[in-house]
Amino acid sequence: MSAKKRISIIGCGSIGTQVALAIKDRFRPVAELVAVCEIHSEKKEIFDQQLGFDVPLRTLLECVESSDLVIEAACQEVVPDLLRQVMLLNRDLLVMSVGGLLLDPSLLEEVRSKRVRILIPSGAIGGVDLLKSAHVGKIYSVELTTKKPVEALREAPYVIQAKIDLDSVLGEKLIFEGKASEAIRAFPQNVNVAATLSLVGIGADRTRVKMMTSRHLKKNVHEIVIEGEFGRASFVIENEPSHKNPKTSLLAAFSAIATLEKALFGLEIGT
Ligand SMILES: NC(=O)c1ccc[n+]([C@@H]2O[C@H](COP(=O)([O-])OP(=O)(O)OC[C@H]3O[C@@H](n4cnc5c(N)ncnc54)[C@H](O)[C@@H]3O)[C@@H](O)[C@H]2O)c1
């Protein structure tokens, strides 16, 4: 019998915890969690309680060294560093903070020329498979409208810098419209889907993003419209927020686990 795949997780929050539970139960015959990296000790304590045992706490580099596959579920800022380290040590990397892949375009080019395996789950959206197929032909436009509850946007750099008074929002309000490359910096914790669409489709400067909010909204909603040589496609995804983190959709963790399943068992269905 072949050895189990050694996995480490960066970030013991909402997604990290759900993925760790899946490794412990669903993937037990083929994978084991060997280390985690977490900057907040209280998050690590809760994580261990939920798993039922103490997972070794390591630095970012130690996590990469000790595992075959690293799962990033922390924040955009760690991604460039992680990319450098997995390239150096020839490890696989699953990235949830997809916006981090666009912070240093030269690094992404380097990744493309190396033999490392970078897994990017569809995350909180559907339609990535269609966009991948459509990209074989010409794509004319990709538009994403994201609607989030007021609470999910309070700490966004753009909201703070532009002094947007979210408490005065009554009905639905458009608070940002622009390129995905701008949205990724303006709403780093909210626009991973814009980053994913940009990477698969026509790039962060041509992918258009609108960010809307409403006091009455309880779900994270993504509306995607793709036009190209293939025709036109539109998707509406109404996401339930994660129980632990209202900024994150439940589907995002499900998508990470489904991507892990594909990587561990090798059965690939869909584009
Ligand atoms: N691809 C997608 O569609 C998608 C969807 C939802 C969330 N995300 C992204 O996935 C990431 C994780 O989301 P979450 O809901 O689990 O967030 P979370 O806030 O619940 O958990 C993140 C954890 O990472 C830890 N952390 C932050 N910086 C760290 C660092 N430098 N080193 C180690 N640990 C660090 C935090 O303390 C926290 O415990 C976020 O960046 C989020 O934006 C992506």
Side-chain angles (χ1 to χ4, degrees):
M1 202 180 121
S2 60
K4 288 186 180 187
K5 180 88 90 180
R6 296 168 305 155
I7 299 179
S8 63
I9 296 179
I10 316 299
C12 296
S14 166
I15 295 176
T17 304
Q18 287 180 73
V19 172
L21 288 169
I23 295 168
K24 182 186 163 206
D25 300 326
R26 195 180 178 117
F27 302 130
R28 183 192 289 267
V30 289
E32 61 181 327
L33 183 59
V34 292
V36 292
C37 175
E38 169 58 59
I39 47 170
H40 291 114
S41 55
E42 69 281 7
K43 292 277 180 99
K44 171 67 167 63
E45 265 172 44
I46 298 169
F47 178 88
D48 286 344
Q49 278 164 16
Q50 295 203 313
L51 277 181
F53 63 98
D54 290 353
V55 182
L57 181 65
R58 300 284 183 254
T59 63
L60 208 71
L61 178 59
E62 287 166 346
C63 280
V64 178
E65 281 173 342
S66 64
S67 56
D68 306 303
L69 166 66
V70 183
I71 296 177
E72 181 285 320
C75 61
Q76 282 189 11
E77 291 71 31
V78 301
V79 174
D81 221 19
L82 263 176
L83 281 178
R84 283 186 204 98
Q85 289 173 10
V86 296
M87 280 195 283
L88 207 64
L89 295 170
N90 201 18
R91 303 292 198 263
D92 294 342
L93 174 65
L94 184 152
V95 180
M96 288 311 295
S97 308
V98 191
L101 290 169
L102 299 175
L103 292 178
D104 183 349
S106 65
L107 211 50
L108 201 58
E109 280 312 306
E110 206 182 327
V111 167
R112 286 196 165 112
S113 69
K114 294 262 159 92
R115 284 179 162 258
V116 287
R117 194 169 179 215
I118 309 292
L119 304 165
I120 305 173
S122 301
I125 49 167
V128 174
D129 53 347
L130 180 138
L131 189 54
K132 265 158 80 176
S133 304
H135 195 246
V136 174
K138 286 195 186 81
I139 297 176
Y140 307 134
S141 63
V142 180
E143 286 176 19
L144 166 72
T145 301
T146 293
K147 299 177 182 175
K148 295 232 168 184
V150 166
E151 289 313 318
L153 296 172
R154 269 198 203 285
E155 290 156 28
Y158 182 81
V159 170
I160 295 166
Q161 279 152 26
K163 295 193 171 67
I164 297 172
D165 180 10
L166 291 174
D167 292 320
S168 69
V169 173
L170 296 173
E172 212 171 64
K173 184 177 165 72
L174 175 69
I175 59 170
F176 170 90
E177 184 170 8
K179 298 173 182 175
S181 51
E182 296 159 352
I184 287 156
R185 284 183 168 74
F187 302 93
Q189 290 181 306
N190 291 283
V191 292
N192 290 293
V193 297
T196 305
L197 291 172
S198 301
L199 283 168
V200 181
I202 50 179
D205 285 334
R206 286 182 62 208
T207 304
R208 303 292 302 173
V209 175
K210 285 183 191 164
M211 179 65 77
M212 302 185 75
T213 189
S214 159
R215 177 150 304 282
H216 310 294
L217 208 59
K218 295 279 176 278
K219 296 178 180 183
N220 299 326
V221 180
H222 299 290
E223 295 171 4
I224 300 164
V225 179
I226 302 164
E227 286 185 316
E229 197 180 343
F230 74 96
R232 182 179 190 277
S234 58
F235 304 88
V236 178
I237 303 106
E238 297 181 18
N239 278 315
E240 293 294 340
S242 136
H243 313 301
K244 287 182 74 179
N245 182 354
K247 287 191 215 109
T248 289
S249 303
L250 205 50
L251 186 65
F254 293 168
S255 169
I257 294 166
T259 302
L260 202 50
E261 187 156 290
K262 197 164 71 173
L264 291 172
F265 297 115
L267 177 63
E268 301 201 16
I269 303 169
T271 308

